[in-house]
Amino acid sequence: MTRARSLLAATLAGALATSVLLGGAATASAAPAAPAAPSAAKVTRAALDPALVAGRGAELGFHEQEAENVRHTGTVIGPDRTAYTLAAEASGRSAVQLARGQFVEFTLPAAANAITVRYSIPDAPGGGGITAPLSVKVGGGPTRTMTLTSQYSWLYNQYPFTNDPSAGLLHPDWWITECGCVPGEGYAVQTPFRPMHFYDEQRMLLGLTYPAGTRVRLTMPGNSEAAWTVIDLLDSHKVAAPHVRLKAANVLLFGADPTGRRDSAAAIENAIASAKKLKLPVYIPPGVYQVNRHIVVDGVTIEGAGSWYTTIRGKEVALAEQAPDGSWHTGVGFYGKDAAAGGSRNVHLSGFAIQGDVRERIDTDQVNGIGGALSDSTIDDLYIQHTKVGIWLDGPMSNVKITDTVIVDQIADGVNFHRGVTDSSVTNSFIRNTGDDALAMWSESTSNARNTFARNTVQTPSLANGIAVYGGTDITIVGNLVADPVREGSGIHLGARFGAEAFAGVIDIADNTVVRAGTYELNWNIGLGAIWMMALDRSIAADIRVRGDHILDSTYNALMLVSDWPVKDLYSISGVAFSDLRIDGTGTSVLSARAAGSASFQNVDARNVGAVGVNNCGSFNFPPTGSEFSIADLGGNDGGGTTGPWLAAWELPNTITCDDRPPVVAPPAPSPWVQP
């Protein structure tokens, strides 16, 4: 049985596990009879030894610790990469499940005064989520209660998904993997069907700074109404004192309520108007401020006391009728003016959190944390949670810089540069648990150009890709760390799809690390590449350079170039240059070529390769002259795996080696790369 078929079987089994999803016991390994042995304060990055990812990803000063690596009385779930399971959406693909009275105990690796807990609790039987307590005890201090919720988790079914676990197929006219058919009206699927998006996170300021070595115990109370609590990880932070801006338009002077009981939208708008007149910044002191609609910003600086201290929080509000922009709802968000109206310029947002109330995906709704068009602007040190998209910018617009920002628990994307965004960047930011592409550039109808995603960390997008680029000119993806994409996407993606303009100029994918990617694509029933390119709407023929990347522990392929079956003889992917790559562990091949075209390889070193190094299917016409995809060996391509050298002379230039669904050989865990 192939790995893809095994995954399908596991997926179907998961769909039947109603008791697991709505309050029963989660699938797990054998429960320990006594607390798991304590370990040192083991710090990881994307669940890896930090040495393996040095110099890649964001550096925001917190320390990640995985629950499965520390002392606990719970049960380890995973490791598992099968979509629609709790383990598959966990960081590193394992977590710890607690029953009532059980605990997980972390040891602080450095002084800390705040923590973030990533967790999952069951949905309500009819959907909509529940709340449940988690006891938090730090050192010898008092026990505090963190209130967990699943109100922003647990989506089901087909795109655009539903909160109803009992719903039948949303699109019975779509082909589904579960039956290998187009089921049609009246076809009954096992419910809940395709559960996903299980996790959420909570932050807590501890009130004191605790030294390294202090124990942090998280206990599921005996009176919890949740049947179980899964703890994925703990991030510990040393948060700086609140930022104070004395010479500013302080929103408190305009009537803003820092308790969150009264709506503060009008007060913040009045402060903005005064600040612009007096040429001052707006200052929002520590507190929680209720805002249930968009704040339109243009030519203004807004500073909070820090994203741990100043929170702008709002409810999603249903509109009486559909808005001109297509929205059925509104909610908290800071928006530039529409690009068609000239957009906004010189907007600078920093030092606050935006917490929305979005629980379902309605793609026409403008319920994003930040939106509109913002040219010559900066976004720094924000924390954005529970909006549809963290930051969705609609061009044409130019020169927005997003830095040191955390975006988590989104229904859709983390950041999307959409339509004619130029000379813009996302740098040193952290994105976790998005419901679609974590970082995206989409050149729909108008090309994006000269944009950069640099030194960001992306973890566990539950759908689609860690980083995705749909068309554009002179694009740079450099120094990022991408881990644990779950399904229907992978680590880094270039796509000629979704109506995007052509790729042009230099597309530089350099010095990134991608780990535990190469996911299963259930619509095609195949494995993807950790870095993959797709020609669907047109050919891809730009100067694409994939260089210096490290690809670790890929479930299937490290690299894939593919065109969709209906257009396989129309479009190709050509001229891609792969160089100076380190590939450590592939379940199948280094390269899966499922398109016409060409690529060159130089100094690409691979080890622990699970299948033939090059799985060359070309356009699946299998002519006697060889595959429609050709490979140039420029030298220095070393290593291999189960079938010998990954790039052997007999595979060149276009030997057909096609195995449509090769069996998977799970690789060992990544380890330091020692040069011979």
Side-chain angles (χ1 to χ4, degrees):
M1 178 182 289
T2 67
R3 172 65 171 168
R5 290 173 183 157
S6 298
L7 281 171
L8 174 58
T11 298
L12 291 172
L16 294 171
T18 306
S19 66
V20 170
L21 301 171
L22 298 181
T27 303
S29 58
S39 61
K42 182 178 179 181
V43 173
T44 56
R45 293 186 61 210
L48 289 175
D49 181 343
L52 294 176
V53 295
R56 277 98 189 273
E59 294 285 356
L60 292 173
F62 62 82
H63 299 281
E64 170 195 284
Q65 293 175 278
E66 295 283 334
E68 64 271 20
N69 294 336
V70 304
R71 184 172 183 259
H72 62 82
T73 56
T75 303
V76 173
I77 60 172
D80 192 353
R81 303 187 191 183
T82 308
Y84 313 119
T85 65
L86 281 161
E89 291 189 20
S91 171
R93 307 299 178 97
S94 291
V96 173
Q97 177 190 314
L98 303 179
R100 295 181 183 95
Q102 293 182 329
F103 67 83
V104 177
E105 187 174 86
F106 299 86
T107 301
L108 292 180
N113 58 6
I115 58 172
T116 298
V117 177
R118 187 168 192 256
Y119 66 90
S120 178
I121 59 174
D123 197 1
I130 63 172
T131 59
L134 182 71
S135 296
V136 180
K137 185 173 180 60
V138 184
T143 298
R144 305 170 64 180
T145 298
M146 176 181 283
T147 301
L148 310 182
T149 182
S150 56
Q151 294 168 336
Y152 302 99
S153 312
W154 295 94
L155 298 177
Y156 306 90
N157 221 292
Q158 299 158 296
Y159 171 86
F161 317 115
T162 175
N163 301 112
D164 181 2
S166 65
L169 288 173
L170 298 183
H171 303 284
D173 57 332
W174 288 7
W175 187 93
I176 61 171
T177 305
E178 286 78 359
C179 68
C181 68
V182 176
E185 294 289 346
Y187 182 88
V189 293
Q190 293 288 333
T191 58
F193 183 61
R194 295 184 180 176
M196 59 174 284
H197 207 60
F198 305 115
Y199 288 85
D200 205 84
E201 62 183 59
Q202 292 280 0
R203 305 192 300 170
M204 176 181 281
L205 285 166
L206 301 177
L208 296 172
T209 297
Y210 291 87
T214 302
R215 294 181 180 179
V216 179
R217 178 175 289 195
L218 309 179
T219 303
M220 182 178 178
N223 63 350
S224 176
E225 63 184 79
W228 46 262
T229 297
V230 169
I231 303 297
D232 183 22
L233 56 78
L234 179 138
D235 296 328
S236 54
H237 311 253
K238 179 75 179 296
V239 179
H243 163 71
V244 177
R245 177 72 69 185
L246 296 177
K247 189 175 181 181
N250 189 315
V251 298
L252 298 182
L253 300 178
F254 296 85
D257 177 10
T259 70
R261 289 191 290 268
R262 291 184 291 106
D263 192 297
S264 293
I268 293 173
E269 289 173 332
N270 290 336
I272 289 172
S274 178
K276 291 172 71 171
K277 187 179 299 183
L278 298 173
K279 295 182 169 49
L280 291 173
V282 172
Y283 178 62
I284 308 179
V288 176
Y289 300 84
Q290 182 188 152
V291 173
N292 302 314
R293 57 181 171 83
H294 298 172
I295 301 291
V296 178
V297 289
D298 184 23
V300 66
T301 295
I302 302 176
E303 300 175 0
S307 63
W308 283 83
Y309 301 108
T310 299
T311 298
I312 315 299
R313 180 180 297 163
K315 299 182 182 299
E316 185 176 79
V317 178
L319 302 175
E321 58 184 27
Q322 191 173 23
D325 65 8
S327 295
W328 289 103
H329 301 84
T330 189
V332 61
F334 290 80
Y335 273 65
K337 295 187 295 185
D338 191 86
S344 293
R345 310 185 79 85
N346 195 29
V347 173
H348 305 284
L349 307 175
S350 66
F352 56 90
I354 302 171
Q355 291 185 318
D357 184 39
V358 179
R359 309 182 190 199
E360 60 183 339
R361 179 164 177 167
I362 301 174
D363 278 348
T364 57
D365 275 357
Q366 286 286 344
V367 286
N368 307 317
I370 296 175
L374 297 170
S375 293
D376 301 323
S377 297
T378 59
I379 297 166
D380 180 67
D381 184 31
L382 299 192
Y383 177 89
I384 306 176
Q385 184 184 36
H386 297 156
T387 55
K388 185 183 78 175
V389 175
I391 302 173
W392 182 290
L393 300 175
D394 289 301
M397 52 160 282
S398 66
N399 190 33
V400 65
K401 310 297 183 189
I402 301 169
T403 54
D404 300 346
T405 287
V406 175
I407 300 172
V408 297
D409 303 329
Q410 300 295 306
I411 288 289
D413 301 26
V415 177
N416 196 309
F417 289 168
H418 177 231
R419 190 187 299 122
V421 177
T422 60
D423 301 298
S424 296
S425 61
V426 181
T427 305
N428 200 52
S429 293
F430 183 88
I431 301 92
R432 181 162 60 200
N433 193 36
T434 55
D436 212 311
D437 297 323
L439 292 172
M441 304 181 198
W442 182 15
S443 294
E444 185 185 29
S445 72
T446 304
S447 188
N448 294 328
R450 300 176 301 281
N451 296 325
T452 299
F453 292 154
R455 302 192 314 281
N456 304 291
T457 295
V458 171
Q459 289 183 285
T460 59
S462 62
L463 176 71
N465 303 281
I467 297 176
V469 182
Y470 304 107
T473 300
D474 294 331
I475 303 299
T476 300
I477 309 297
V478 61
N480 301 284
L481 170 59
V482 180
D484 296 312
V486 177
R487 66 182 182 91
E488 297 179 61
S490 198
I492 298 176
H493 176 51
L494 302 183
R497 53 198 299 215
F498 303 129
E501 295 297 301
F503 286 100
V506 176
I507 311 299
D508 198 15
I509 303 175
D511 300 327
N512 304 283
T513 293
V514 181
V515 58
R516 295 180 300 272
T519 64
Y520 169 62
E521 220 301 338
L522 82 166
N523 296 303
W524 297 339
N525 195 22
I526 62 171
L528 299 181
I531 297 177
W532 70 296
M533 306 174 195
M534 182 183 185
L536 177 61
D537 296 344
R538 63 175 78 232
S539 293
I540 297 176
D543 182 359
I544 298 174
R545 306 171 187 178
V546 182
R547 57 189 183 86
D549 301 294
H550 296 174
I551 304 173
L552 311 179
D553 194 4
S554 299
T555 309
Y556 291 92
N557 312 285
L559 310 168
M560 172 180 272
L561 284 70
V562 60
S563 60
D564 202 11
W565 188 266
V567 297
K568 68 185 180 65
D569 296 319
L570 296 177
Y571 304 134
S572 62
I573 303 173
S574 58
V576 183
F578 297 97
S579 63
D580 302 311
L581 306 184
R582 290 182 180 176
I583 297 170
D584 189 357
T586 65
T588 55
S589 300
V590 171
L591 171 67
S592 175
R594 301 173 69 95
S598 62
S600 65
F601 291 84
Q602 185 173 31
N603 298 327
V604 174
D605 295 339
R607 66 186 184 188
N608 301 315
V609 177
V612 63
V614 177
N615 188 3
N616 194 341
C617 297
S619 297
F620 288 87
N621 296 310
F622 309 124
T625 53
S627 169
E628 300 90 342
F629 190 89
S630 62
I631 295 169
D633 180 355
L634 303 184
N637 300 299
D638 300 321
T642 58
T643 65
W646 82 265
L647 189 58
W650 65 268
E651 296 172 303
L652 303 171
N654 63 334
T655 302
I656 296 171
T657 57
C658 187
D659 185 344
D660 195 26
R661 292 174 177 84
V664 169
V665 177
S671 59
W673 199 282
V674 179
Q675 294 289 0

